[in-house]
Amino acid sequence: MENDNAVRVRGLVKRYPDKVAVDGVDLDIHRGEVFALLGPNGAGKTTTTEILEGYRRADEGEVSVLGTDPARGDRRWRSQLGIVLQTSRDEAESTVLELVSHYAAYYPNPRDPDEVIAAVGLEEKRKTRPRKLSGGQRRRLDVALGVIGNPELLFLDEPTTGFDPEARRQFWTLIENLRTSGTTILLTTHYLDEAEHLADRVGVIADGRMIEIGTPETLGGRGARTARVSWSDADGPHELRTDRPTAEVAALMQRFDGEVPELEVRRPSLEDIYLDLIGKANAADAAVSIEAGAL
Amino acid sequence: MADTTTKPLPSTLSVGLARTKLEVREFFREKEALIFTFFFPIIFLGIFSAVFGSTDFNGVNAATYFLPGMIASGIFLSSFQSLAISIALERDEGLLKRLRGTPMPPQSYFIGKIGQVLVTSIAQFALLLVIAGLVLGVDIPSEPSKWLDFAWIFILGAASGSVLGIAFSVVPKSGKAASAVITPVVLLLQFMSGVYFVYSSLPGWMRDVASVFPLKWLAQGMRSVFLPDGFQVNEPGGSWQLGTGAIVLTVWLIVGLFLAQRVFRWTRRDAG
């Protein structure tokens, strides 16, 4: 138990009859960090997560979650995890308070149900049944049920899909509070701003392979952050990449003797970098299949 | 943090009792289950006794004549139908998957389901008995030996119905289809097993088919408890055949236990 990693994965492979869903993934998640797994639909995020959660078996590779192989996870191990699935149904006829209190009975060291309900902002809905909650409120209930057992590691699978911006902001605050209390969190999402806002580190997965792991600030390497200066002249639009955008703008000013038409200076957002990474992965794939086709 | 690894896990029984409480609460708050599982036999007993009010069935009134079938049918609905539909729904909609991700022991889930069957079927039986005795003028037996028979028939019937319901829950392909797949099966069995019609008036081939299934024996056993012994001559074998009934129900219980363990799954079929 004395290792720093809540999750350690080496060479993970999972095959389905029609495709290889996870193809040699390595992953370390440190204790106490929020790790976001990013990737397009079908990239292998959910399969990877479900192997870590013990729902699916790995075909190859080493997997350790809180020091245990999930395929051999017992009740004690499960009591240290919190799992918020992508979709789930609640016992429809019980109230929020009844459900949270009921799930508390599964755990050796649960948190106080009223405290958890307050933490997810559902105090006013304590006596409400799940079907009368809004989408965002139901998701908060899912999180309440996920954290009631006082987990060391929390899995959140696309927790804010379908939220309006206000609900998403509130949800982020909830996750930040959990992180502050020391919970390790593995978050899968396809919202880049969510990953950027919440995650200490981000892993980008595409076609079952981990393309890159880094902090939101360093993802894609230093070059990916280079500023782009663009403008137009008689020949049409121009763009150049530079480490010294101010100098470039000054030079342009002199050349145009004043206003530079359609001047824009921007640094790529995480989204640009991400799309770039995914695009490269897809391009590499396409190249491989063309070669294979030529043979 | 140290606490989480040293505090004992809640026992399987205590979690099972917590599940029972939740299941019973869910059952009685859900209108559809209440009407089609809980009140169904009571409603039918009322209808039959209204329709055949003045008819004499070999010396007993209509309510007395139909009461054993309704009791048997109630036990079967509360166990088989209720579990098969609710588990199919819970699987399809991901509730079972969520439960699997908690430290709840699987046995506790089944304790909860079977606890719910016991509570609901006993409440249903008590209500049937009260209405039959007080409102419909049925003579309720008082001999201890009859009630001893009732006890083992009830337990065998509810237990085999429960395990078969757990096993059958994998048959519907989706939660939406669950009621549509399971209700007709139960309805057909009820007709063939002589719950609604007089069993001896059913065609021979139908009786032969029904006698393979547990409901027929459950109904026949209940007739032995609630009808005068003179009615034995109307049974196909000329007697209540309690021994054969016990064997058939026990075989179904064992088959059901085996099947339930083999086929039960926490996630949908397409979930790898």
Side-chain angles (χ1 to χ4, degrees), chain A residues 50 55 89 93-94 142, chain B residues 26 29 93 97-98 103:
Chain A
E50 292 197 342
Y55 285 116
R89 166 198 184 244
E93 307 295 331
S94 296
D142 288 341
Chain B
E26 289 281 317
R29 283 184 190 172
E93 293 176 352
K97 189 176 181 184
R98 169 191 274 170

Side-chain angles (χ1 to χ4, degrees), chain B:
Chain B
M1 288 285 167
D3 268 5
T4 48
T5 50
T6 52
K7 275 201 182 181
L9 290 158
S11 74
T12 300
L13 185 65
S14 73
V15 177
L17 292 177
R19 291 271 344 147
T20 303
K21 192 175 141 194
L22 178 89
E23 297 275 11
V24 169
R25 186 170 62 211
E26 289 281 317
F27 181 90
F28 281 105
R29 283 184 190 172
E30 203 211 326
K31 291 184 197 76
E32 195 183 318
L34 261 192
I35 292 167
F36 288 102
T37 297
F38 193 77
F39 287 116
F40 206 66
I42 296 168
I43 293 167
F44 263 78
L45 185 66
I47 291 173
F48 282 144
S49 78
V51 171
F52 300 107
S54 54
T55 319
D56 178 83
F57 290 86
N58 298 329
V60 297
N61 68 10
T64 309
Y65 189 78
F66 285 108
L67 178 66
M70 292 307 128
I71 291 171
S73 163
I75 294 168
F76 199 63
L77 288 169
S78 295
S79 56
F80 181 82
Q81 172 168 299
S82 151
L83 291 198
I85 293 178
S86 70
I87 297 174
L89 272 170
E90 289 173 1
R91 179 181 299 112
D92 190 51
E93 293 176 352
L95 178 66
L96 291 189
K97 189 176 181 184
R98 169 191 274 170
L99 289 175
R100 196 72 189 109
T102 72
M104 177 204 74
Q107 299 92 318
S108 302
Y109 175 77
F110 295 111
I111 292 175
K113 286 291 177 197
I114 288 166
Q116 177 225 303
V117 169
L118 283 179
V119 171
T120 55
S121 57
I122 288 172
Q124 185 179 42
F125 168 70
L127 199 59
L128 259 175
L129 218 57
V130 166
I131 290 173
L134 297 183
V135 183
L136 304 174
V138 175
D139 276 334
I140 307 299
S142 55
E143 305 94 305
S145 68
K146 291 272 185 193
W147 286 103
L148 202 68
D149 281 345
F150 171 81
W152 70 255
I153 297 165
F154 176 89
I155 290 169
L156 266 185
S160 56
S162 299
V163 291
L164 289 170
I166 292 168
F168 203 79
S169 73
V170 300
V171 173
K173 286 223 166 59
S174 72
K176 274 185 189 138
S179 285
V181 170
I182 291 155
T183 315
V185 170
V186 173
L187 214 57
L188 201 68
L189 261 184
Q190 286 175 320
F191 276 105
M192 294 198 323
S193 304
V195 163
Y196 300 114
F197 293 114
V198 184
Y199 186 71
S200 52
S201 69
L202 295 173
W205 66 266
M206 201 184 270
R207 289 195 308 226
D208 290 342
V209 174
S211 63
V212 174
F213 296 103
L215 184 55
K216 183 259 178 187
W217 299 98
L218 189 53
Q220 189 164 339
M222 288 301 166
R223 285 198 290 272
S224 84
V225 174
F226 293 96
L227 291 180
D229 276 336
F231 275 73
Q232 284 194 60
V233 294
N234 298 328
E235 298 292 335
S239 82
W240 297 125
Q241 296 177 295
L242 287 186
T244 316
I247 292 167
V248 175
L249 289 175
T250 308
V251 167
W252 274 110
L253 175 60
I254 293 165
V255 169
L257 266 176
F258 175 77
L259 280 180
Q261 284 182 1
R262 286 297 297 272
V263 303
F264 184 83
R265 40 187 309 155
W266 295 93
T267 49
R268 285 168 17 180
R269 228 172 305 184
D270 56 8

